Amino acid sequence: MKIILKNGYVYDPINNINGEVMDIFIKDGKIVNEFREKDAKVIDCKGKVVMPGAIDIHSHIAGGKVNTGRILRPEDHRRFVIARKFKNGKFFRSGAGFSVPSTRITGYLYAKMGYTMAFTPALPPLMARHTHEELSSIPIIDKGALTLMGNNWFVMKYLKAGEIEKCAAFAAWLLKAVKGYAIKVVNPGGGEAWGWGKNVTSLEDRVPYFDITPKEIIEGLMKVNEMLKLPHSEHLHTINLGRVGNYETTIKTMKLARGLENRDRHVLQITHAQFHSYGGESWKSFESKAYEVAKAVNKMKNVAIDVGFVTLDPTTTMTADGPMEYYLSSLTHLKWTNKDIELETAPGVTPYNYSPKSAVSSVQWAVGLELALLVEDPWRVMLTTDHPNGGPFIRYPRIIAWLMSRKYREDFMKNMNKAVEKRAIISSLDREYDLYEIAIITRASQARALGLKEKGHLGVGADADVAVYDINPEELNTAEYEKIERAFSNAYLTIKSGEIVVKEGEVVNEFYGKTYYVDVEVEEELMQEVERDLDYYFKRYYSVNLANYPVSLDYLTNPTKIERKIERVKVIK
Amino acid sequence: MKEIFLKFKGSKTVLEAEVINPNVFAGKKLSEIENLTVYHGNRRAKLGEFFDVEGSTSEDARELRIVVEGDLEKVKRIGENMSEGEILIKGNAGMHTGDFMSGGRIVVEGNVASFCATEMKGGEFIVKGDAGDYLGSAYRGNWIGMQGGLIVVEGNVGRESCAHMSGGKAIIRGTAGDFAGVHMRKGTIIIEGKANRAGAQMIGGTIVILTNVDPLPSFELVGEESDIEVDGERFSGTFLKYIGDKAELRAKGTLYIRK
């Protein structure tokens, strides 16, 4: 199918296009050079904004604990129901779930907002088959899964023994085996300590039995990441998430990235930084330390953050940080579940109601926005809510409107706990994002972080994933924030792989997107050594046979391989 | 008071009839009421297919009484979400009768099935016969159950009645199944018959049992009281007063058991 999007205001930060009126030409799923109008479908985008399809780098849409969350929260399904429908001779399935929507509607809801790609950030290797089965029933969007390694026995064993090449070879094997995309680290060492009823609270704490520190795991995996030349950086959920006064740990964690460099991207992503920017001594003196954390991010050019905004909705929290979820449930006295994954990780799930009337929740709301407004370089900020931990992803348009409109923030704050004025600085921040910066934090910076050259822009050769919004930048008035929120909630047009999938906020077509995974080849002798260890450990400790562990490509929709060939793994000191 | 009579003609499978509700009927002609949608299995159907509709209508739901006749065990959700008016059910009623009601009055002359009056916020729900499990409880998964209003059951009730109760009052004249008032936070439950394991994991509210039964071992005996008054009701005789359920942190629930 050939499409021409005519006369739209194009925002394409990767190609430095800031609101120019241009035509976009689409052919066979790609953005191409000009062609003749007569054999194409021409769509008039006059007075509208044209952006690349949006990308969500961190959204829990599939994986063992997402399903555990669905099982735990039937009352969440009752809140939000989408009926099945017939449209254009196609059948669109029903679904339910406000904070943990079912798989089909996850795809529909993303597409409706102009999103064309989402990565699930916590794939427990042993649950990989299940995760891919879930991903494979999410329609429309492109997908991928970040692989949990921060509490993996092999990783800790190799790093402790100083065998970083073997650790790298293991990471390469694991990513290929579970069809993962990047190295994800969650509460490094804390997940393992949780198996002993403990946790880690500083970067120097020692993990029981393995005798390794969180610092050594973070640094080791950061080096492994660069040794393997992976497309994405280490994706780190550092220790002390959600704890009062944790901002110092966060800043110390960032400093671990010193000395490492990568030409194309940052080397460390502090994920859901909002949950890691808290000050105070106790919950009573809880306060925002976004200023300090943002200052550190501004200095550290090789570190990026995704924010993890709190949207003040009742939601379900789920993370591979088992001890943190237990701690949270002991504060709220609500139901809680833990999901131990043998040698790998220990996720937990518990509901949480972020209420605007609560002092803590309202400050958390402010922390997210302050981080986004205080970090100067939008290329190192990514818009996420850590769905569903800070709020469901369907609230992204509202966050965009908050960032673009100071008036919206002020109006919203009127009904909030007064703590937001005393223990946060949000009311003193004037900055308003413009459409170009919004395009960066929702598209360009995320594509760059993922190292995907064909995504996040509208240059010739890019994948034809495009979103058109009914906003006229010439007439844009940020005081009319409802208009902004409405426009970003209901894309005028979403084009995925060159096909129209959404028209005026309604899904009209569906098919399956790509699933990205990484395949790194390392030298054979090194891999053989690691395979001997795998053999031994699987026989001794795992509940599954090694041969049954890897996930075959049959489980992935349109599997798309990112290849790397490392002749000789070079140790980074 | 205007009355609308619905006579049930019978149905082979379960019927979902949340439209039988004074708020919905108010301001509609009889022919419009007959055309209201009910779900028969997975098929959309009209109320008139299953009920004979007679009587006189009213603009104001407060002035409207719906009288439903027949064996309605297979009819679910009667009076769901109602906020005013009255429903009189002459016979047994199915699951979810009176769910989420916030006002008005439902009287059932026969028995009701499970999950009735769940998450009720106000109004009255009166059953002359027995009630099934989860009467006045939280809906599946939720942690806030009945928040207000009054439930009276003349007969027995099933298990986990008033689970997660957070307000209101329930009076059970017969026996209560296991775990009445489980996870209770606020409100009052009065059980005249026997009740096993009542108030498990309660952290607040009051349960009065007018029969001598054993409490759960996690309740702490704090003393005896005579001629007590709870939520405007007086009970003569001597009662053992317990505080619990001590299996929970911050447990401040009160359990009275007749000595």
Side-chain angles (χ1 to χ4, degrees):
Chain A
M1 192 175 176
K2 285 181 173 180
I3 300 174
I4 303 173
L5 301 174
K6 268 194 105 67
N7 293 325
Y9 293 95
V10 176
Y11 289 86
D12 179 7
I14 287 179
N15 296 311
N16 295 316
I17 296 167
N18 183 359
E20 270 174 56
V21 176
M22 289 171 67
D23 300 342
I24 302 286
F25 296 86
I26 295 166
K27 190 186 164 194
D28 301 333
K30 293 276 177 192
I31 309 283
V32 293
N33 279 316
E34 216 162 314
F35 51 70
R36 281 181 308 154
E37 260 181 45
K38 70 170 199 204
D39 29 85
K41 184 179 171 71
V42 180
I43 299 170
D44 183 20
C45 297
K46 193 158 187 268
K48 296 189 171 61
V49 162
V50 179
M51 288 186 183
I55 299 171
D56 192 347
I57 199 169
H58 191 112
S59 173
H60 296 266
I61 50 173
K65 64 177 174 294
V66 180
N67 235 13
T68 307
R70 291 186 185 114
I71 294 163
L72 187 72
R73 300 219 57 201
E75 74 284 7
D76 179 71
H77 299 199
R78 182 154 59 97
R79 279 193 69 181
F80 191 91
V81 179
I82 291 180
R84 65 180 186 169
K85 70 170 186 189
F86 291 95
K87 181 100 187 172
N88 301 346
K90 285 207 171 208
F91 174 55
F92 298 91
R93 281 172 55 177
S94 61
F98 175 72
S99 62
V100 262
S102 48
T103 49
R104 308 296 303 189
I105 64 169
T106 298
Y108 301 156
L109 291 169
Y110 263 121
K112 190 170 172 321
M113 303 189 300
Y115 273 73
T116 52
M117 182 180 228
F119 274 56
T120 190
L123 165 94
L126 199 55
M127 295 294 289
R129 189 167 282 105
H130 170 91
T131 307
H132 283 296
E133 283 191 316
E134 251 183 277
L135 282 177
S136 71
S137 66
I138 297 177
I140 303 176
I141 56 173
D142 293 331
K143 302 151 284 193
L146 315 183
T147 309
L148 290 165
M149 294 195 198
N151 290 291
N152 190 295
W153 284 18
F154 291 99
V155 168
M156 289 190 287
K157 179 176 95 79
Y158 288 139
L159 288 179
K160 180 64 195 173
E163 298 170 315
I164 195 165
E165 321 89 294
K166 279 197 194 169
C167 185
F170 170 74
W173 174 83
L174 188 64
L175 285 173
K176 191 177 175 184
V178 304
K179 305 292 176 284
Y181 189 79
I183 297 179
K184 170 79 187 294
V185 179
V186 172
N187 191 4
E192 177 56 27
W194 180 232
W196 306 70
K198 294 177 182 154
N199 195 2
V200 291
T201 54
S202 96
L203 291 169
E204 274 77 35
D205 277 5
R206 301 217 154 255
V207 180
Y209 181 74
F210 289 95
D211 197 39
I212 192 170
T213 63
K215 176 171 175 263
E216 289 164 340
I217 299 173
I218 296 169
E219 284 180 334
L221 284 174
M222 221 180 323
K223 286 173 188 163
V224 163
N225 200 81
E226 300 310 312
M227 282 155 68
L228 295 176
K229 303 192 170 85
L230 296 182
H232 183 36
S233 70
E234 177 179 343
H235 197 99
L236 173 66
H237 154 155
T238 190
I239 61 173
N240 287 339
L241 178 139
R243 303 276 174 156
V244 179
N246 61 9
Y247 78 103
E248 283 170 332
T249 314
T250 311
I251 294 171
K252 274 185 205 152
T253 308
M254 281 183 216
K255 288 181 179 160
L256 300 179
R258 271 184 188 156
L260 279 177
E261 286 215 353
N262 186 305
R263 262 187 312 136
D264 300 323
R265 54 156 170 81
H266 49 272
V267 295
L268 179 66
Q269 177 162 342
I270 301 287
T271 192
H272 38 69
Q274 179 274 130
F275 290 113
H276 299 276
S277 305
Y278 302 154
E281 303 273 298
S282 72
W283 289 110
K284 287 208 169 104
S285 60
F286 180 80
E287 59 179 347
S288 165
K289 286 286 180 188
Y291 178 79
E292 283 77 1
V293 173
K295 205 166 88 180
V297 177
N298 285 337
K299 261 191 216 152
M300 300 282 302
K301 304 287 181 212
N302 55 357
V303 174
I305 60 165
D306 71 76
V307 179
F309 292 94
V310 161
T311 62
L312 298 176
D313 289 292
T315 190
T316 312
T317 66
M318 52 178 69
T319 139
D321 192 344
M324 181 269 153
E325 291 288 357
Y326 174 73
Y327 172 66
L328 186 61
S329 73
S330 70
L331 292 177
T332 59
H333 291 272
L334 295 180
K335 52 192 173 182
W336 159 78
T337 180
N338 191 73
K339 193 173 169 67
D340 182 55
I341 314 273
E342 298 185 17
L343 288 63
E344 296 172 349
T345 171
V349 185
T350 188
Y352 192 78
N353 185 9
Y354 292 99
S355 159
K357 303 284 171 217
S358 137
V360 171
S361 298
S362 55
V363 172
Q364 287 178 304
W365 172 82
V367 173
L369 293 169
E370 285 172 6
L371 278 173
L373 296 168
L374 288 167
V375 175
E376 286 150 12
D377 176 9
W379 287 94
R380 290 189 288 121
V381 177
M382 287 161 246
L383 189 150
T384 64
T385 57
D386 187 16
H387 164 84
N389 289 309
F393 66 77
I394 51 173
R395 286 284 186 254
Y396 289 173
R398 182 169 291 177
I399 297 167
I400 290 172
W402 280 330
L403 291 172
M404 289 184 71
S405 165
R406 185 174 180 195
K407 184 156 189 305
Y408 195 4
R409 303 198 289 264
E410 280 168 358
D411 288 357
F412 204 77
M413 260 166 21
K414 280 178 193 155
N415 298 319
M416 271 158 97
N417 190 299
K418 290 285 162 278
V420 72
E421 281 155 28
K422 288 179 216 142
R423 300 205 225 120
I425 53 169
I426 183 74
S427 46
S428 69
L429 298 179
D430 292 331
R431 182 175 170 192
E432 289 183 338
Y433 270 65
D434 60 24
L435 286 164
Y436 187 69
E437 288 171 315
I438 291 294
I440 296 175
I441 65 166
T442 53
R443 290 133 164 101
S445 71
Q446 314 223 19
R448 189 173 280 186
L450 289 167
L452 290 169
K453 301 262 184 274
E454 72 276 26
K455 294 289 179 189
H457 70 103
L458 297 173
V460 171
D463 282 359
D465 301 343
V466 191
V468 181
Y469 298 107
D470 194 359
I471 301 174
N472 188 340
E474 307 283 336
E475 294 163 9
L476 182 71
N477 175 4
T478 60
E480 295 173 344
Y481 46 78
E482 299 98 336
K483 273 191 189 168
I484 301 176
E485 188 176 337
R486 209 177 313 128
F488 279 101
S489 300
N490 299 291
Y492 176 75
L493 208 62
T494 307
I495 295 174
K496 173 73 187 61
S497 306
E499 303 280 339
I500 295 171
V501 287
V502 171
K503 267 186 196 164
E504 297 185 49
E506 194 183 2
V507 178
V508 292
N509 190 4
E510 71 168 327
F511 46 81
Y512 288 108
K514 302 182 202 171
T515 311
Y516 282 92
Y517 73 99
V518 163
D519 182 346
V520 189
E521 206 178 300
V522 298
E523 68 243 42
E524 222 178 306
E525 310 92 76
L526 185 59
M527 196 49 103
Q528 277 167 357
E529 278 182 54
V530 170
E531 275 167 4
R532 270 197 295 277
D533 286 350
L534 286 170
D535 226 29
Y536 175 79
Y537 274 82
F538 265 79
K539 275 193 187 123
R540 211 177 152 102
Y541 297 112
Y542 264 96
S543 65
V544 295
N545 193 312
L546 179 57
N548 293 329
Y549 190 75
V551 178
S552 70
L553 285 177
D554 309 336
Y555 286 90
L556 280 63
T557 63
N558 306 321
T560 308
K561 184 157 66 172
I562 304 288
E563 265 182 299
R564 295 282 188 271
K565 198 167 162 54
I566 313 284
E567 294 286 335
R568 182 138 208 101
V569 174
K570 280 195 206 105
V571 175
I572 300 174
K573 286 276 184 258
Chain B
M1 200 99 179
K2 297 277 174 57
E3 283 191 330
I4 294 180
F5 295 93
L6 298 178
K7 198 164 178 196
F8 188 44
K9 301 186 214 170
S11 157
K12 272 186 187 164
T13 48
V14 167
L15 200 64
E16 306 224 4
E18 65 271 25
V19 289
I20 303 181
N21 176 344
N23 299 84
V24 177
F25 281 14
K28 289 197 174 67
K29 290 184 210 133
L30 288 182
S31 58
E32 287 173 323
I33 291 172
E34 279 175 349
N35 275 328
L36 288 168
T37 306
V38 292
Y39 287 87
H40 184 232
N42 63 0
R43 186 172 69 86
R44 212 184 267 249
K46 285 178 181 156
L47 188 68
E49 283 182 42
F50 297 96
F51 290 90
D52 289 324
V53 184
E54 284 171 24
S56 53
T57 58
S58 159
E59 286 290 319
D60 186 355
R62 278 170 296 185
E63 288 297 309
L64 196 59
R65 177 191 288 147
I66 303 173
V67 182
V68 199
E69 266 182 72
D71 187 12
L72 301 148
E73 263 168 46
K74 280 185 181 162
V75 183
K76 291 203 226 171
R77 301 185 190 279
I78 295 176
E80 190 175 81
N81 291 316
M82 76 181 265
S83 65
E84 43 204 7
E86 204 178 313
I87 299 178
L88 173 62
I89 298 172
K90 295 188 163 178
N92 299 334
M95 284 170 75
H96 298 291
T97 304
D99 268 10
F100 317 120
M101 68 185 282
S102 56
R105 186 176 151 94
I106 296 180
V107 179
V108 183
E109 294 192 343
N111 305 327
V112 292
S114 299
F115 278 109
C116 286
T118 54
E119 297 185 17
M120 175 175 181
K121 286 199 178 71
E124 289 176 32
F125 186 80
I126 291 157
V127 181
K128 307 281 187 193
D130 298 338
D133 301 330
Y134 300 104
L135 172 77
S137 70
Y139 214 86
R140 270 282 183 257
N142 207 355
W143 54 87
I144 299 166
M146 179 177 177
Q147 292 176 65
L150 173 71
I151 294 179
V152 181
V153 180
E154 300 289 343
N156 306 325
V157 300
R159 298 189 187 92
E160 298 198 35
S161 47
C162 303
H164 293 281
M165 187 169 186
S166 306
K169 182 153 96 178
I171 301 172
I172 293 151
R173 306 263 186 234
T175 303
D178 286 354
F179 295 114
V182 60
H183 287 291
M184 184 172 178
R185 201 171 306 154
K186 263 186 197 166
T188 310
I189 306 176
I190 294 154
I191 303 168
E192 297 192 359
K194 284 201 183 300
N196 202 18
R197 303 181 192 184
Q201 292 192 285
M202 75 191 286
I203 54 168
T206 309
I207 301 179
V208 182
I209 304 175
L210 302 181
T211 314
N212 189 285
V213 293
D214 290 331
L216 280 169
S218 47
F219 279 79
E220 185 191 342
L221 182 65
V222 291
E224 289 186 12
E225 282 180 27
S226 299
D227 301 333
I228 55 170
E229 188 179 337
V230 175
D231 203 359
E233 311 250 349
R234 285 165 183 281
F235 303 100
S236 57
T238 314
F239 286 84
L240 299 170
K241 186 181 183 184
Y242 295 87
I243 298 290
D245 178 345
K246 294 286 180 185
E248 290 287 304
L249 291 169
R250 312 181 213 154
K252 285 187 196 131
T254 313
L255 176 64
Y256 287 106
I257 296 180
R258 180 166 267 158
K259 198 180 171 188

